[in-house]
Amino acid sequence: MVKNKPAYYKGIVIGGSAGSFSLVTKILSRIKPDFKYPIIICLHRLKHIRSGLLEGLNLKSNLSVVEPYDKLRLEGGKVYLAPSNYHLFIEFDSTVSLSTEEVLNHSRPSIDHTFFSAATSFREKMVGILLTGANKDGARGIKDVHNKNGFTIVQDPKTCDVDMMTKSALQLFNPDKVLSPEEIIDFLNSL
Amino acid sequence: MAIAPTIHDIREITPVLSDKFKIDFSNYAFSFLRRRFAHIFNVLNVKSTKDFIEKIKSGELTEDFSYHFPVPDTEMFRDPSFWRYLRLKILPGLEEDKFSFWFPQLVSCEELFSLLVILKEEGVIDKAKVYCNVSSAKKLEEIKSGITDSKKIELNKQNFKRLELNHHFEDYFINEDGKVFIDKSLMTNVEFLKGNFFNEVPNTTVSFVIFRNRMIYYNAKLQVNAEEILAKYIHKGGYMAIGIKERISQANQSLFDEYEISEKIYKV
Protein backbone atom coordinates (compact mmCIF):
# COMPACT_ATOMS: atom_id res chain seq x y z
CA MET A 1 0.00 0.00 0.00
CA VAL A 2 1.37 3.43 -0.93
CA LYS A 3 0.92 5.83 1.95
CA ASN A 4 -0.24 9.36 1.35
CA LYS A 5 2.27 11.90 2.53
CA PRO A 6 0.70 13.87 5.39
CA ALA A 7 0.60 17.67 5.25
CA TYR A 8 3.02 17.74 8.16
CA TYR A 9 4.77 15.41 10.58
CA LYS A 10 4.44 15.57 14.35
CA GLY A 11 7.82 13.96 14.77
CA ILE A 12 10.69 11.94 13.33
CA VAL A 13 11.78 9.13 15.65
CA ILE A 14 15.20 7.54 15.24
CA GLY A 15 16.39 4.46 17.15
CA GLY A 16 19.77 2.81 17.18
CA SER A 17 22.34 0.96 19.22
CA ALA A 18 25.91 -0.14 18.62
CA GLY A 19 27.58 1.90 15.94
CA SER A 20 24.75 4.35 15.55
CA PHE A 21 26.36 7.27 17.36
CA SER A 22 28.63 8.13 14.43
CA LEU A 23 25.76 7.68 12.01
CA VAL A 24 23.41 9.90 14.02
CA THR A 25 26.19 12.48 14.24
CA LYS A 26 26.53 12.34 10.46
CA ILE A 27 22.78 12.72 9.93
CA LEU A 28 22.58 15.72 12.26
CA SER A 29 25.63 17.37 10.69
CA ARG A 30 24.07 17.08 7.23
CA ILE A 31 20.46 17.83 8.01
CA LYS A 32 19.27 21.17 6.70
CA PRO A 33 19.40 23.88 9.38
CA ASP A 34 15.79 24.87 8.69
CA PHE A 35 14.44 21.34 9.19
CA LYS A 36 10.99 21.98 10.61
CA TYR A 37 9.96 18.86 12.52
CA PRO A 38 10.98 17.59 15.98
CA ILE A 39 13.46 14.72 15.89
CA ILE A 40 13.37 12.26 18.78
CA ILE A 41 16.42 10.03 19.12
CA CYS A 42 16.62 6.95 21.31
CA LEU A 43 20.08 5.40 21.47
CA HIS A 44 21.26 2.64 23.74
CA ARG A 45 23.73 4.17 26.16
CA LEU A 46 25.53 3.50 29.40
CA LYS A 47 23.25 3.92 32.41
CA HIS A 48 25.71 5.56 34.74
CA ILE A 49 27.22 8.11 32.36
CA ARG A 50 25.02 11.18 32.21
CA SER A 51 27.12 13.43 30.04
CA GLY A 52 29.22 13.20 26.89
CA LEU A 53 26.79 11.86 24.30
CA LEU A 54 24.70 15.02 24.20
CA GLU A 55 27.76 17.25 23.99
CA GLY A 56 29.22 15.03 21.27
CA LEU A 57 26.08 15.29 19.14
CA ASN A 58 25.80 19.04 19.63
CA LEU A 59 29.36 19.59 18.42
CA LYS A 60 28.45 18.84 14.83
CA SER A 61 24.68 19.07 14.68
CA ASN A 62 22.96 21.68 12.53
CA LEU A 63 20.03 21.54 14.96
CA SER A 64 20.00 22.07 18.72
CA VAL A 65 20.12 18.76 20.60
CA VAL A 66 18.70 18.54 24.13
CA GLU A 67 18.01 15.83 26.66
CA PRO A 68 14.42 16.65 27.52
CA TYR A 69 13.05 17.14 30.99
CA ASP A 70 9.88 15.31 31.84
CA LYS A 71 6.73 17.03 30.47
CA LEU A 72 8.68 19.13 27.93
CA ARG A 73 6.69 20.01 24.81
CA LEU A 74 8.29 19.07 21.49
CA GLU A 75 9.17 21.87 19.09
CA GLY A 76 9.96 21.73 15.39
CA GLY A 77 13.60 21.99 14.39
CA LYS A 78 14.90 20.61 17.67
CA VAL A 79 16.43 17.25 18.47
CA TYR A 80 15.48 15.35 21.63
CA LEU A 81 17.83 12.67 22.91
CA ALA A 82 16.46 10.07 25.36
CA PRO A 83 18.34 10.58 28.65
CA SER A 84 20.52 7.91 30.20
CA ASN A 85 18.65 5.45 32.47
CA TYR A 86 15.19 6.78 31.53
CA HIS A 87 12.65 5.50 29.04
CA LEU A 88 11.25 8.25 26.82
CA PHE A 89 7.58 8.30 25.81
CA ILE A 90 5.53 10.67 23.65
CA GLU A 91 2.13 11.75 24.94
CA PHE A 92 -0.93 12.70 22.83
CA ASP A 93 -0.25 16.40 23.42
CA SER A 94 3.30 16.10 21.97
CA THR A 95 4.94 16.34 25.35
CA VAL A 96 7.67 14.01 26.53
CA SER A 97 7.18 11.78 29.54
CA LEU A 98 10.08 9.97 31.12
CA SER A 99 10.02 6.80 33.15
CA THR A 100 12.25 4.59 35.25
CA GLU A 101 10.11 1.50 34.66
CA GLU A 102 11.72 -1.89 34.17
CA VAL A 103 14.27 -2.34 31.40
CA LEU A 104 12.84 -3.59 28.11
CA ASN A 105 15.06 -5.72 25.89
CA HIS A 106 17.80 -5.15 28.49
CA SER A 107 17.59 -1.45 27.70
CA ARG A 108 16.63 1.80 29.42
CA PRO A 109 16.02 3.82 27.34
CA SER A 110 14.27 1.24 25.20
CA ILE A 111 13.77 2.03 21.52
CA ASP A 112 10.63 -0.12 21.43
CA HIS A 113 9.03 1.97 24.17
CA THR A 114 9.72 5.22 22.33
CA PHE A 115 8.43 3.85 19.02
CA PHE A 116 5.30 2.35 20.63
CA SER A 117 4.32 5.60 22.30
CA ALA A 118 5.13 7.75 19.26
CA ALA A 119 3.11 5.42 17.03
CA THR A 120 0.11 5.75 19.33
CA SER A 121 0.36 9.52 19.65
CA PHE A 122 1.49 10.52 16.15
CA ARG A 123 -0.17 7.75 14.07
CA GLU A 124 0.42 8.48 10.35
CA LYS A 125 2.05 11.83 11.08
CA MET A 126 5.46 10.41 11.90
CA VAL A 127 8.52 8.86 10.36
CA GLY A 128 10.24 6.03 12.23
CA ILE A 129 13.85 5.22 11.37
CA LEU A 130 15.73 2.21 12.73
CA LEU A 131 19.52 2.21 12.46
CA THR A 132 22.34 -0.19 13.14
CA GLY A 133 22.26 -2.09 16.44
CA ALA A 134 23.27 -5.19 18.33
CA ASN A 135 20.00 -6.41 19.82
CA LYS A 136 16.35 -6.70 18.84
CA ASP A 137 15.14 -3.61 20.67
CA GLY A 138 13.34 -1.33 18.23
CA ALA A 139 12.17 -4.06 15.84
CA ARG A 140 8.72 -4.55 17.37
CA GLY A 141 8.38 -0.84 17.98
CA ILE A 142 8.99 0.22 14.39
CA LYS A 143 6.60 -2.49 13.23
CA ASP A 144 3.98 -0.83 15.45
CA VAL A 145 4.74 2.51 13.75
CA HIS A 146 4.12 0.74 10.43
CA ASN A 147 0.88 -0.83 11.70
CA LYS A 148 -0.40 2.59 12.74
CA ASN A 149 0.37 3.99 9.29
CA GLY A 150 3.51 5.90 10.19
CA PHE A 151 6.23 6.01 7.51
CA THR A 152 9.02 3.53 8.28
CA ILE A 153 12.65 3.38 7.21
CA VAL A 154 15.09 0.65 8.16
CA GLN A 155 18.78 1.14 7.49
CA ASP A 156 20.00 -1.26 4.83
CA PRO A 157 21.63 -4.11 6.86
CA LYS A 158 24.48 -4.20 4.33
CA THR A 159 25.50 -0.74 5.53
CA CYS A 160 25.19 -1.48 9.27
CA ASP A 161 28.13 -1.95 11.64
CA VAL A 162 25.97 -4.50 13.44
CA ASP A 163 22.90 -5.69 11.58
CA MET A 164 20.96 -7.59 14.26
CA MET A 165 18.52 -4.78 14.99
CA THR A 166 17.69 -3.99 11.38
CA LYS A 167 17.49 -7.64 10.33
CA SER A 168 15.17 -8.35 13.26
CA ALA A 169 12.88 -5.58 12.04
CA LEU A 170 12.95 -6.78 8.45
CA GLN A 171 11.94 -10.26 9.61
CA LEU A 172 8.82 -8.76 11.19
CA PHE A 173 7.48 -6.52 8.40
CA ASN A 174 8.25 -4.73 5.14
CA PRO A 175 9.10 -1.09 5.85
CA ASP A 176 8.32 1.69 3.41
CA LYS A 177 12.02 2.11 2.65
CA VAL A 178 15.29 0.27 3.24
CA LEU A 179 17.96 2.94 2.82
CA SER A 180 21.68 3.55 3.12
CA PRO A 181 22.87 6.34 5.47
CA GLU A 182 23.28 8.76 2.51
CA GLU A 183 19.76 8.00 1.34
CA ILE A 184 18.37 8.50 4.85
CA ILE A 185 19.94 11.97 4.96
CA ASP A 186 18.54 12.81 1.52
CA PHE A 187 15.12 11.56 2.55
CA LEU A 188 15.03 13.71 5.68
CA ASN A 189 16.16 16.77 3.78
CA SER A 190 13.38 16.21 1.26
CA LEU A 191 10.62 16.46 3.90
CA MET B 1 -4.22 -15.05 28.90
CA ALA B 2 -4.39 -11.55 30.41
CA ILE B 3 -5.88 -8.73 28.36
CA ALA B 4 -4.45 -5.29 27.61
CA PRO B 5 -6.64 -2.39 28.73
CA THR B 6 -7.99 -0.03 26.07
CA ILE B 7 -8.39 3.73 26.38
CA HIS B 8 -12.05 3.12 27.18
CA ASP B 9 -11.06 0.64 29.91
CA ILE B 10 -8.68 3.17 31.45
CA ARG B 11 -11.44 5.75 31.56
CA GLU B 12 -13.66 3.26 33.35
CA ILE B 13 -11.00 2.14 35.81
CA THR B 14 -9.58 5.48 36.96
CA PRO B 15 -12.70 6.81 38.76
CA VAL B 16 -13.04 3.55 40.66
CA LEU B 17 -9.41 3.70 41.77
CA SER B 18 -9.75 7.39 42.65
CA ASP B 19 -12.69 6.60 44.88
CA LYS B 20 -10.91 3.70 46.53
CA PHE B 21 -7.51 5.31 47.13
CA LYS B 22 -8.58 8.97 47.48
CA ILE B 23 -6.14 10.12 44.77
CA ASP B 24 -7.33 11.29 41.38
CA PHE B 25 -5.85 8.63 39.11
CA SER B 26 -6.92 10.55 36.01
CA ASN B 27 -4.05 12.88 36.94
CA TYR B 28 -1.41 10.31 36.16
CA ALA B 29 0.31 10.60 32.77
CA PHE B 30 -1.91 8.79 30.29
CA SER B 31 0.77 6.70 28.61
CA PHE B 32 1.91 5.59 32.06
CA LEU B 33 -1.59 4.46 33.04
CA ARG B 34 -1.88 2.46 29.84
CA ARG B 35 1.43 0.68 30.43
CA ARG B 36 0.95 0.19 34.14
CA PHE B 37 -2.56 -1.21 33.86
CA ALA B 38 -1.29 -3.58 31.17
CA HIS B 39 1.48 -4.59 33.59
CA ILE B 40 -1.00 -5.14 36.43
CA PHE B 41 -3.44 -7.05 34.22
CA ASN B 42 -0.55 -9.27 33.24
CA VAL B 43 0.92 -9.97 36.69
CA LEU B 44 -2.50 -10.45 38.27
CA ASN B 45 -3.80 -12.37 35.25
CA VAL B 46 -6.86 -10.13 34.97
CA LYS B 47 -9.47 -11.65 32.65
CA SER B 48 -11.66 -8.61 32.09
CA THR B 49 -11.86 -4.93 32.99
CA LYS B 50 -15.26 -5.55 34.59
CA ASP B 51 -13.78 -8.24 36.81
CA PHE B 52 -10.88 -5.95 37.76
CA ILE B 53 -13.22 -3.10 38.66
CA GLU B 54 -15.43 -5.35 40.79
CA LYS B 55 -12.42 -6.66 42.69
CA ILE B 56 -11.09 -3.15 43.28
CA LYS B 57 -14.49 -2.06 44.56
CA SER B 58 -14.79 -5.06 46.88
CA GLY B 59 -11.29 -4.53 48.21
CA GLU B 60 -10.08 -7.93 47.01
CA LEU B 61 -7.34 -6.36 44.87
CA THR B 62 -6.51 -3.35 47.05
CA GLU B 63 -3.24 -4.75 48.34
CA ASP B 64 -2.18 -6.31 45.03
CA PHE B 65 -2.83 -3.05 43.25
CA SER B 66 -0.88 -1.05 45.84
CA TYR B 67 2.00 -3.48 45.48
CA HIS B 68 2.21 -3.56 41.70
CA PHE B 69 1.11 -0.11 40.52
CA PRO B 70 3.98 2.16 41.66
CA VAL B 71 7.31 1.82 39.87
CA PRO B 72 10.12 0.43 42.06
CA ASP B 73 13.45 2.24 42.31
CA THR B 74 15.85 1.12 39.61
CA GLU B 75 18.85 0.56 41.88
CA MET B 76 20.65 1.69 45.02
CA PHE B 77 22.73 4.87 44.77
CA ARG B 78 21.18 5.82 41.43
CA ASP B 79 23.06 8.94 40.28
CA PRO B 80 26.05 8.47 42.62
CA SER B 81 26.93 12.15 42.28
CA PHE B 82 23.65 13.02 44.03
CA TRP B 83 24.53 10.83 47.01
CA ARG B 84 28.08 12.21 47.08
CA TYR B 85 26.68 15.74 47.14
CA LEU B 86 24.29 14.87 49.93
CA ARG B 87 27.09 13.34 51.99
CA LEU B 88 29.75 15.98 51.42
CA LYS B 89 27.78 19.21 51.02
CA ILE B 90 24.39 18.85 52.67
CA LEU B 91 24.87 16.69 55.75
CA PRO B 92 27.77 18.73 57.20
CA GLY B 93 25.59 21.85 57.03
CA LEU B 94 22.55 20.46 58.84
CA GLU B 95 21.98 21.64 62.39
CA GLU B 96 22.36 19.03 65.16
CA ASP B 97 18.64 18.64 65.81
CA LYS B 98 17.58 18.71 62.19
CA PHE B 99 18.57 15.39 60.70
CA SER B 100 15.08 14.53 59.55
CA PHE B 101 14.31 13.03 56.17
CA TRP B 102 11.11 12.04 54.39
CA PHE B 103 10.40 9.70 51.53
CA PRO B 104 6.82 10.67 50.63
CA GLN B 105 6.42 7.64 48.39
CA LEU B 106 8.71 4.72 49.08
CA VAL B 107 8.03 1.95 46.59
CA SER B 108 11.01 -0.29 47.19
CA CYS B 109 14.07 -0.37 49.43
CA GLU B 110 16.76 1.18 47.25
CA GLU B 111 16.44 4.91 47.93
CA LEU B 112 15.94 4.35 51.67
CA PHE B 113 18.87 1.95 52.03
CA SER B 114 21.08 4.33 50.05
CA LEU B 115 20.28 7.14 52.49
CA LEU B 116 20.87 4.92 55.54
CA VAL B 117 24.31 3.92 54.27
CA ILE B 118 25.24 7.56 53.66
CA LEU B 119 24.03 8.58 57.14
CA LYS B 120 26.00 5.74 58.74
CA GLU B 121 29.09 6.55 56.71
CA GLU B 122 28.97 10.14 57.98
CA GLY B 123 28.39 9.02 61.57
CA VAL B 124 25.06 10.82 61.89
CA ILE B 125 22.62 7.92 61.71
CA ASP B 126 21.91 7.91 65.46
CA LYS B 127 20.62 11.45 65.43
CA ALA B 128 18.67 11.04 62.20
CA LYS B 129 14.95 10.39 61.84
CA VAL B 130 13.66 9.02 58.54
CA TYR B 131 9.96 8.97 57.64
CA CYS B 132 8.69 6.82 54.78
CA ASN B 133 5.22 6.50 53.28
CA VAL B 134 4.65 2.98 51.97
CA SER B 135 1.28 2.19 50.39
CA SER B 136 1.51 -1.58 50.25
CA ALA B 137 1.51 -3.68 53.45
CA LYS B 138 3.36 -6.48 51.67
CA LYS B 139 6.00 -4.08 50.37
CA LEU B 140 6.35 -2.58 53.83
CA GLU B 141 7.15 -6.00 55.29
CA GLU B 142 9.73 -6.62 52.55
CA ILE B 143 11.44 -3.32 53.24
CA LYS B 144 11.38 -3.87 57.00
CA SER B 145 12.99 -7.28 56.55
CA GLY B 146 16.01 -5.52 55.06
CA ILE B 147 16.17 -7.77 52.01
CA THR B 148 17.52 -6.33 48.78
CA ASP B 149 16.68 -7.29 45.21
CA SER B 150 19.20 -9.96 44.23
CA LYS B 151 18.82 -9.09 40.53
CA LYS B 152 20.22 -5.62 41.21
CA ILE B 153 23.11 -6.59 43.42
CA GLU B 154 25.91 -6.11 40.88
CA LEU B 155 24.55 -2.75 39.78
CA ASN B 156 24.18 -1.69 43.42
CA LYS B 157 27.78 -2.66 44.09
CA GLN B 158 29.03 -0.77 41.04
CA ASN B 159 27.18 2.37 42.12
CA PHE B 160 28.49 1.94 45.67
CA LYS B 161 32.05 1.91 44.37
CA ARG B 162 31.43 5.18 42.55
CA LEU B 163 30.57 6.82 45.88
CA GLU B 164 34.19 6.41 47.02
CA LEU B 165 33.23 5.77 50.64
CA ASN B 166 35.62 4.70 53.40
CA HIS B 167 33.83 1.42 54.05
CA HIS B 168 33.08 -1.60 51.89
CA PHE B 169 29.70 -2.70 50.56
CA GLU B 170 29.96 -5.77 52.80
CA ASP B 171 30.23 -3.53 55.86
CA TYR B 172 26.62 -2.50 55.30
CA PHE B 173 25.09 -5.49 53.57
CA ILE B 174 25.12 -9.07 54.81
CA ASN B 175 24.90 -12.13 52.59
CA GLU B 176 22.77 -14.87 54.15
CA ASP B 177 22.37 -18.02 52.06
CA GLY B 178 22.63 -16.07 48.83
CA LYS B 179 20.23 -13.34 49.92
CA VAL B 180 21.60 -9.89 50.66
CA PHE B 181 20.21 -7.91 53.61
CA ILE B 182 21.04 -4.46 54.87
CA ASP B 183 22.44 -4.35 58.42
CA LYS B 184 19.11 -3.93 60.19
CA SER B 185 20.59 -1.81 62.96
CA LEU B 186 20.64 0.99 60.36
CA MET B 187 16.83 0.96 60.35
CA THR B 188 16.37 1.80 64.04
CA ASN B 189 15.29 5.39 63.43
CA VAL B 190 13.06 4.75 60.43
CA GLU B 191 9.35 5.41 60.93
CA PHE B 192 6.95 4.03 58.37
CA LEU B 193 3.71 5.81 57.55
CA LYS B 194 0.92 3.84 55.95
CA GLY B 195 -0.77 5.07 52.82
CA ASN B 196 0.20 7.81 50.41
CA PHE B 197 1.44 11.27 51.25
CA PHE B 198 -1.69 12.94 49.89
CA ASN B 199 -3.50 11.49 52.90
CA GLU B 200 -0.82 10.66 55.48
CA VAL B 201 2.10 12.93 56.43
CA PRO B 202 4.71 13.09 59.23
CA ASN B 203 3.63 14.85 62.41
CA THR B 204 6.48 17.32 62.01
CA THR B 205 8.37 19.21 59.34
CA VAL B 206 11.59 17.68 57.97
CA SER B 207 14.96 18.89 56.71
CA PHE B 208 15.14 16.91 53.52
CA VAL B 209 12.52 15.38 51.25
CA ILE B 210 13.73 12.76 48.80
CA PHE B 211 11.20 12.43 46.02
CA ARG B 212 13.24 11.42 43.00
CA ASN B 213 11.54 10.20 39.83
CA ARG B 214 8.06 10.03 41.32
CA MET B 215 6.39 13.04 39.73
CA ILE B 216 7.35 11.86 36.24
CA TYR B 217 4.28 9.63 36.45
CA TYR B 218 1.99 12.54 37.28
CA ASN B 219 0.41 15.00 34.92
CA ALA B 220 1.17 18.71 35.44
CA LYS B 221 -1.86 19.24 37.69
CA LEU B 222 -1.00 16.46 40.12
CA GLN B 223 2.64 17.58 40.18
CA VAL B 224 1.61 21.08 41.29
CA ASN B 225 -0.59 19.57 43.97
CA ALA B 226 2.20 17.27 45.21
CA GLU B 227 4.79 20.05 45.34
CA GLU B 228 2.46 22.24 47.42
CA ILE B 229 1.91 19.47 49.97
CA LEU B 230 5.60 18.62 50.21
CA ALA B 231 6.70 22.24 50.60
CA LYS B 232 4.51 22.55 53.71
CA TYR B 233 6.41 19.76 55.45
CA ILE B 234 9.94 21.05 54.89
CA HIS B 235 11.52 23.38 57.48
CA LYS B 236 12.47 26.82 56.31
CA GLY B 237 15.98 26.31 54.90
CA GLY B 238 15.33 22.61 54.24
CA TYR B 239 15.74 20.80 50.95
CA MET B 240 13.92 18.68 48.42
CA ALA B 241 15.54 16.42 45.82
CA ILE B 242 13.72 15.35 42.67
CA GLY B 243 14.94 13.29 39.71
CA ILE B 244 17.67 14.75 37.53
CA LYS B 245 15.27 15.01 34.59
CA GLU B 246 12.45 16.57 36.56
CA ARG B 247 11.74 20.25 37.18
CA ILE B 248 9.66 22.10 39.73
CA SER B 249 6.45 23.25 38.03
CA GLN B 250 6.15 26.82 36.80
CA ALA B 251 3.28 27.38 39.24
CA ASN B 252 5.43 26.56 42.28
CA GLN B 253 8.68 28.32 41.38
CA SER B 254 8.15 30.66 44.32
CA LEU B 255 8.06 27.76 46.81
CA PHE B 256 11.45 26.31 45.91
CA ASP B 257 14.81 27.94 45.17
CA GLU B 258 17.29 26.15 42.94
CA TYR B 259 20.17 25.03 45.18
CA GLU B 260 22.25 22.45 43.30
CA ILE B 261 20.65 22.27 39.93
CA SER B 262 22.78 19.51 38.42
CA GLU B 263 21.54 17.17 41.16
CA LYS B 264 18.07 18.75 41.23
CA ILE B 265 18.24 19.79 44.87
CA TYR B 266 15.95 22.66 45.80
CA LYS B 267 15.82 24.75 48.97
CA VAL B 268 12.66 25.92 50.69
Side-chain angles (χ1 to χ4, degrees), chain B:
Chain B
M1 197 177 129
I3 57 163
T6 63
I7 292 174
H8 178 71
D9 292 332
I10 293 167
R11 289 189 178 133
E12 273 194 83
I13 293 168
T14 46
V16 179
L17 291 170
S18 303
D19 187 51
K20 192 76 185 172
F21 292 95
K22 309 300 177 203
I23 310 171
D24 188 348
F25 276 78
S26 67
N27 282 332
Y28 278 87
F30 190 80
S31 72
F32 172 66
L33 286 178
R34 198 172 49 231
R35 291 191 307 278
R36 215 57 192 164
F37 287 162
H39 167 71
I40 285 178
F41 278 28
N42 184 41
V43 292
L44 299 180
N45 200 20
V46 171
K47 303 291 185 196
S48 74
T49 299
K50 186 167 174 277
D51 182 44
F52 179 73
I53 287 174
E54 287 308 314
K55 286 177 175 169
I56 287 290
K57 279 183 179 170
S58 72
E60 189 181 334
L61 283 182
T62 304
E63 172 54 29
D64 283 328
F65 181 83
S66 300
Y67 186 86
H68 290 290
F69 181 72
V71 177
D73 301 328
T74 58
E75 63 217 59
M76 277 187 224
F77 313 107
R78 182 183 166 111
D79 308 315
S81 57
F82 164 75
W83 296 103
R84 272 201 302 271
Y85 194 90
L86 176 64
R87 180 168 79 91
L88 299 173
K89 304 287 185 184
I90 302 282
L91 294 183
L94 289 181
E95 291 174 37
E96 275 295 300
D97 59 342
K98 289 191 173 169
F99 278 80
S100 51
F101 300 81
W102 181 26
F103 291 95
Q105 190 185 8
L106 192 69
V107 179
S108 56
C109 67
E110 287 81 5
E111 290 275 280
L112 171 63
F113 290 0
S114 303
L115 175 67
L116 296 178
V117 165
I118 295 295
L119 292 173
K120 177 70 175 175
E121 182 80 14
E122 286 309 292
V124 295
I125 195 155
D126 293 336
K127 58 184 174 184
K129 181 80 181 176
V130 183
Y131 300 93
C132 308
N133 281 74
V134 183
S135 295
S136 154
K138 183 180 165 192
K139 187 59 76 178
L140 176 57
E141 289 314 307
E142 286 177 9
I143 294 169
K144 279 182 172 174
S145 78
I147 196 166
T148 67
D149 186 340
S150 56
K151 295 192 293 291
K152 298 175 184 171
I153 202 69
E154 286 311 313
L155 179 56
N156 293 341
K157 283 183 176 177
Q158 286 166 16
N159 284 346
F160 182 91
K161 269 188 190 169
R162 294 186 183 106
L163 295 173
E164 299 169 346
L165 302 180
N166 295 320
H167 293 82
H168 299 289
F169 188 84
E170 289 72 20
D171 294 330
Y172 297 110
F173 295 94
I174 303 145
N175 194 326
E176 290 179 11
D177 302 326
K179 293 177 180 172
V180 177
F181 294 82
I182 193 169
D183 173 355
K184 282 179 73 175
S185 69
L186 302 187
M187 296 177 75
T188 305
N189 293 334
V190 179
E191 181 175 330
F192 292 101
L193 306 170
K194 285 184 182 164
N196 68 72
F197 72 98
F198 289 102
N199 305 317
E200 184 73 33
V201 293
N203 57 9
T204 179
T205 54
V206 299
S207 302
F208 205 113
V209 165
I210 301 180
F211 199 49
R212 302 195 312 146
N213 299 315
R214 291 291 149 210
M215 293 190 287
I216 53 180
Y217 304 112
Y218 300 169
N219 70 8
K221 184 180 168 189
L222 191 60
Q223 177 173 347
V224 168
N225 187 205
E227 289 164 353
E228 286 168 354
I229 292 171
L230 299 178
K232 282 185 197 165
Y233 289 89
I234 303 173
H235 310 308
K236 183 70 187 157
Y239 305 87
M240 180 161 85
I242 57 178
I244 56 161
K245 285 296 167 190
E246 295 178 279
R247 286 186 297 192
I248 293 293
S249 66
Q250 204 64 37
N252 284 328
Q253 297 283 320
S254 61
L255 295 178
F256 300 92
D257 292 330
E258 291 181 354
Y259 184 72
E260 174 56 37
I261 205 59
S262 62
E263 303 304 336
K264 287 293 178 291
I265 299 173
Y266 292 81
K267 199 161 187 175
V268 172

Side-chain angles (χ1 to χ4, degrees), chain A residues 138-154:
Chain A
R140 285 171 54 238
I142 197 165
K143 179 176 183 244
D144 196 45
V145 173
H146 177 79
N147 290 345
K148 292 188 169 72
N149 294 320
F151 195 89
T152 50
I153 298 171
V154 173

